Amino acid sequence: MRRVNTAVGVAVLAVMLFPLYWMLNASLLPSTELIKPDPTWFPVHGTLDGYRNALDSQGGHLLTSLYVALGTVAVTLAVAVPAAYALTQLAAPLGRTLLFALLVAQMIPGIVMANAFYAAANELYLLNTPLALILADSTLCVPFAVLILHAFMRGIPAELREAAALDGASNLRALRSVILPVSRNAVITASLFSFLFAWADFLFAVTLTTRDEAAPITVGIYRFIGAHTSDWNSVMATGVIASLPVAVLLVVAQRYVAAGITSGSVKD
């Protein structure tokens, strides 16, 4: 059985890594090599011109995506952490109704929300600003983060908060000094998924940015492909660069994410 599980794991890893390898390989090949009928499996005569072009044309978009993703994480945690704390530890009224509303909110089609966000951003003069993207992405990240944090925090014994209250700590102090350190895995999980969603968002980004200089990397790649259909090594290099922050975060935070997702799944 262990050998079977190992074989399955290796197969799944190979299926996942093959597209990444091909993208990396194509990013290093000259354009003449990419249009040959026979594929080139190893970039023996590789070039970094694609990466130079990608950084020159997409560097600003990468910074915009990073700013939007980090802002989305900050807004999401600022709303989701107190909300989950109130629902689990403070017995907030209508808690079940609120959780049901959060589930329903995740079922609303994104295109419907994008149209509403465009109208609101236009009225508030927020089009082509990172703030509009941060607020739009947060509307989808907050419900998901609240559900993750709720699943974890409901397993934290109420005696911890009560002991802090006996020592004179307020609810806010108990959250900051007691609940948050215990909930580290869940907070990291919610932060990571919020970052990934904001980084990979295309629908809100293309709706709320009408100027190229204000667009994040997803829209930048989309418009870059349209303008450089014959320069595929630069397109692939842009894809590799855009994937690096996500890959690094997944590698660094994988053990916290695994613990955060499974927390609350088993009831004592």
Side-chain angles (χ1 to χ4, degrees), residues 110 187 246:
V187 171
V246 175

Side-chain angles (χ1 to χ4, degrees), residues 159 161-169:
E159 289 77 9
R161 183 184 60 82
E162 293 171 356
L166 290 175
D167 290 336

Side-chain angles (χ1 to χ4, degrees), residues 67-78:
Y67 180 76
V68 170
L70 293 177
T72 300
V73 171
V75 172
T76 299
L77 293 183

Side-chain angles (χ1 to χ4, degrees), residues 135-215:
L135 295 177
D137 292 337
S138 297
T139 57
L140 291 184
C141 295
V142 166
F144 182 75
V146 170
L147 294 175
I148 287 182
L149 293 169
H150 176 271
F152 184 91
M153 288 186 181
R154 69 179 181 181
I156 298 176
E159 289 77 9
L160 290 178
R161 183 184 60 82
E162 293 171 356
L166 290 175
D167 290 336
S170 63
N171 289 329
L172 183 60
R173 177 64 182 276
L175 170 63
R176 185 175 66 251
S177 302
V178 178
I179 304 300
L180 274 182
V182 176
S183 307
R184 180 188 62 177
N185 292 337
V187 171
I188 292 176
T189 301
S191 301
L192 179 62
F193 278 97
S194 299
F195 185 95
L196 294 179
F197 176 82
W199 184 268
D201 171 61
F202 177 80
L203 180 59
F204 292 158
V206 77
T207 303
L208 299 176
T209 57
T210 58
R211 296 199 305 264
D212 185 66
E213 63 271 14

Side-chain angles (χ1 to χ4, degrees), residues 4-262:
V4 173
N5 291 337
T6 302
V8 172
V10 171
V12 171
L13 184 62
V15 171
M16 294 175 62
L17 291 181
F18 180 76
L20 297 178
Y21 167 77
W22 184 249
M23 183 170 64
L24 178 62
N25 180 54
S27 69
L28 295 172
L29 292 174
S31 298
T32 54
E33 293 284 334
L34 292 174
I35 60 177
K36 291 172 58 177
D38 297 326
T40 302
W41 292 97
F42 300 100
V44 178
H45 304 290
T47 176
L48 295 177
D49 290 341
Y51 287 92
R52 297 188 187 97
N53 296 335
L55 290 175
D56 290 341
S57 61
Q58 301 298 315
H61 300 310
L62 285 168
L63 291 177
T64 299
S65 286
L66 183 62
Y67 180 76
V68 170
L70 293 177
T72 300
V73 171
V75 172
T76 299
L77 293 183
V79 176
V81 170
Y85 175 62
L87 290 173
T88 55
Q89 298 291 320
L90 303 181
L94 301 177
R96 291 182 178 273
T97 303
L98 178 58
L99 288 176
F100 180 76
L102 293 176
L103 289 173
V104 172
Q106 294 187 337
M107 301 178 187
I108 301 175
I111 188 62
V112 175
M113 300 179 66
N115 291 332
F117 286 136
Y118 179 85
N122 189 39
E123 289 292 330
L124 298 173
Y125 302 100
L126 291 178
L127 285 179
N128 299 302
T129 64
L131 180 59
L133 295 177
I134 290 172
L135 295 177
D137 292 337
S138 297
T139 57
L140 291 184
C141 295
V142 166
F144 182 75
V146 170
L147 294 175
I148 287 182
L149 293 169
H150 176 271
F152 184 91
M153 288 186 181
R154 69 179 181 181
I156 298 176
E159 289 77 9
L160 290 178
R161 183 184 60 82
E162 293 171 356
L166 290 175
D167 290 336
S170 63
N171 289 329
L172 183 60
R173 177 64 182 276
L175 170 63
R176 185 175 66 251
S177 302
V178 178
I179 304 300
L180 274 182
V182 176
S183 307
R184 180 188 62 177
N185 292 337
V187 171
I188 292 176
T189 301
S191 301
L192 179 62
F193 278 97
S194 299
F195 185 95
L196 294 179
F197 176 82
W199 184 268
D201 171 61
F202 177 80
L203 180 59
F204 292 158
V206 77
T207 303
L208 299 176
T209 57
T210 58
R211 296 199 305 264
D212 185 66
E213 63 271 14
I217 188 62
T218 49
V219 179
I221 293 176
Y222 171 72
R223 294 171 181 168
F224 185 78
I225 293 175
H228 300 80
T229 53
S230 61
D231 192 12
W232 281 105
N233 64 330
S234 297
V235 173
M236 292 299 177
T238 305
V240 172
I241 294 173
S243 302
L244 285 179
V246 175
V248 171
L249 281 176
L250 288 175
V251 171
V252 172
Q254 60 178 338
R255 63 190 183 97
Y256 301 106
V257 173
I261 291 177
T262 56

